[in-house]
Amino acid sequence: MESNRFPGLLPRSPSARCGTVIHRIIEAAAKKKINEEDDFEEYWNRCIMIEEKEMADSWIERHLVPLKKSTPKYELKKYQCLLAIRSMFNKTRSHAAYDIINKISREIWLETQNKVVGGLVDAIISTKTGDIIVDYKTGSITKLIGNHEAVQEIYKIQLQLYAAIYNSAFGIWPVSLQIAGIDGISYEIDFNQKECINLLNEAYHIATEINYVVADETNLGEMNDLLSSPSPETCRYCLYRPACQSYLERREISPPAEWPKDIIGTLYEKKILGNGLILIRVVANNNNLDMITIRGLHPGRHPALNFESDKIAIFSMVSDNSPNNFKEGILTTIYIRR
Ligand code: SF4
């Protein structure tokens, strides 16, 4: 659905919106659309306005406007973005940098010779010793694994795949793979050519399977079952969970702890509390038929609660004291179900 530009059914987080703004500004600075640091404030406000306009037009996101209030550490993110472009300008002015860097190419589409696998690389830095592939991230790059911080596995796989695609396209390997954070810290990703080729072969295999299923004219529901592979990790940030039957079915049969905090069930009770907020009780469609309580729901945010329907689905709740008690969070969204 995302590749068809189908609008998300759940809100994008304000941090993700801010990340889009930061990416846009870094790209503009790289393309010299922002000439000096003085343009930063104006450009930032313009990009924020574009995001907020889109949010205001969406019933699931309009309560998150303005981003200044809804984004955690908004001012810090803005300042880090300013530091990032300041450092870009300084590097451009530095003669020393030009001595080792022949050329920096931004936003390069790389694809394998057979055009089956491709990806948009943030930057390729050509040096005297070879090319460095760089990907910029505005969110957290590392994750606590055991008792030490390590670069997240999905980012390593992404960069290793870029290396293999680069090799397929040009017949040589990059000399380095790097992930750069908005805080100015870069992480070098180790890679081994054989592992990169294995990853690319796996990507070819997946692409062939997808094309086979699509060409088979299977109906949409069956296609969804065949192509989706729900898991807590892959579905957590997916904005299409409300429409994904595979996800809804899979989470019913596996333990709930790791899955996103969503409930699908039957509305048992709805009451408006003294503070004007709504409390609902829902009997969950799980094997135990648990009774779930969700409080703190703002009436204006949830039109689904105005409909006479007992089938209901609540997404992105926030835990509240005990296992079956939840409350509304900034991303909580409710749909009625048939
Ligand atoms: S399987 Fe998960 S990630 Fe894939 S579409 Fe369904 S909910 Fe989204």
Side-chain angles (χ1 to χ4, degrees):
M1 282 193 266
E2 190 166 5
S3 54
N4 281 337
R5 304 207 178 280
F6 194 85
L9 301 173
L10 297 175
R12 282 182 69 202
S13 77
S15 294
R17 289 270 178 195
C18 235
T20 303
V21 168
I22 292 168
H23 255 288
R24 210 173 275 154
I25 290 179
I26 288 178
E27 195 187 321
K31 290 180 177 165
K32 309 260 188 312
K33 287 186 188 163
I34 301 178
N35 291 322
E36 282 303 328
E37 181 183 317
D38 305 342
D39 295 341
F40 173 77
E41 189 72 26
E42 190 196 331
Y43 214 86
W44 175 273
N45 289 338
R46 208 185 313 154
C47 292
I48 288 284
M49 263 174 59
I50 293 170
E51 292 301 308
E52 288 182 342
K53 161 86 179 61
E54 204 177 297
M55 294 163 75
D57 288 342
S58 153
W59 70 269
I60 53 176
E61 284 194 51
R62 65 175 63 110
H63 65 284
L64 298 171
V65 177
L67 279 167
K68 191 173 188 161
K69 277 198 178 157
S70 59
T71 310
K73 300 185 181 159
Y74 176 92
E75 290 300 338
L76 178 66
K77 287 180 172 124
K78 182 177 171 186
Y79 184 59
Q80 285 179 327
C81 182
L82 173 62
L83 291 183
I85 67 159
R86 200 178 272 167
S87 131
M88 284 169 77
F89 290 138
N90 287 342
K91 270 188 194 148
T92 307
R93 289 187 198 110
S94 147
H95 293 297
Y98 268 130
D99 286 345
I100 54 160
I101 298 171
N102 297 331
K103 190 176 156 213
I104 304 180
S105 311
R106 313 268 176 192
E107 300 249 292
I108 309 293
W109 175 256
L110 279 185
E111 61 187 16
T112 51
Q113 282 202 352
N114 59 10
K115 300 189 185 306
V116 173
V117 180
L120 190 64
V121 174
D122 282 338
I124 296 181
I125 301 176
S126 299
T127 70
K128 284 179 180 164
T129 50
D131 282 358
I132 301 169
I133 293 181
V134 184
D135 197 65
Y136 298 109
K137 300 287 177 206
T138 52
S140 171
I141 295 173
T142 58
K143 194 174 165 183
L144 196 60
I145 296 175
N147 52 8
H148 75 284
E149 286 282 330
V151 172
Q152 297 192 43
E153 198 56 29
I154 46 166
Y155 296 152
K156 287 187 190 167
I157 291 174
Q158 180 191 2
L159 269 286
Q160 287 165 350
L161 255 179
Y162 283 165
I165 298 170
Y166 177 97
N167 173 258
S168 164
F170 305 118
I172 52 171
W173 289 91
V175 288
S176 167
L177 305 177
Q178 290 183 11
I179 298 188
I182 188 70
D183 53 7
I185 300 176
S186 285
Y187 299 83
E188 172 110 24
I189 307 296
D190 287 338
F191 70 102
N192 154 319
Q193 297 177 2
K194 191 161 180 279
E195 280 171 17
C196 294
I197 289 170
N198 288 345
L199 278 175
L200 183 59
N201 286 337
E202 210 177 306
Y204 283 143
H205 181 68
I206 292 170
T208 309
E209 273 191 343
I210 291 173
N211 288 338
Y212 179 76
V213 172
V214 173
D216 198 29
E217 296 183 350
T218 318
N219 77 40
L220 265 181
E222 286 174 12
M223 202 188 293
N224 186 39
D225 285 350
L226 287 166
L227 296 181
S228 57
S229 44
S231 74
E233 296 73 35
T234 51
C235 302
R236 181 157 295 119
Y237 300 107
C238 176
L239 305 184
Y240 302 99
R241 299 198 305 272
C244 181
Q245 204 51 36
S246 313
Y247 162 74
L248 297 172
E249 283 168 8
R250 183 71 60 85
R251 59 167 295 134
E252 296 299 322
I253 52 172
S254 18
E258 304 294 324
W259 291 98
K261 292 185 175 57
D262 303 338
I263 291 290
I264 295 87
T266 306
L267 184 61
Y268 176 79
E269 185 185 7
K270 174 178 99 174
K271 57 182 179 185
I272 300 179
L273 303 180
N275 57 7
L277 301 180
I278 298 175
L279 177 145
I280 57 175
R281 290 204 166 84
V282 177
V283 180
N285 284 0
N286 58 18
N287 293 335
N288 304 324
L289 293 178
D290 288 334
M291 176 74 83
I292 308 291
T293 301
I294 306 118
R295 68 174 177 92
L297 298 164
H298 287 77
R301 265 183 60 184
H302 305 293
L305 293 178
N306 299 329
F307 288 91
E308 290 298 322
S309 170
D310 58 351
K311 301 285 177 218
I312 193 166
I314 304 119
F315 296 87
S316 308
M317 303 178 298
V318 172
S319 298
D320 186 23
N321 304 327
S322 64
N324 286 352
N325 283 13
F326 295 90
K327 57 187 176 185
E328 180 189 88
I330 60 167
L331 302 179
T332 304
T333 308
I334 303 181
Y335 284 92
I336 53 173
R337 291 181 60 77
R338 296 182 196 284

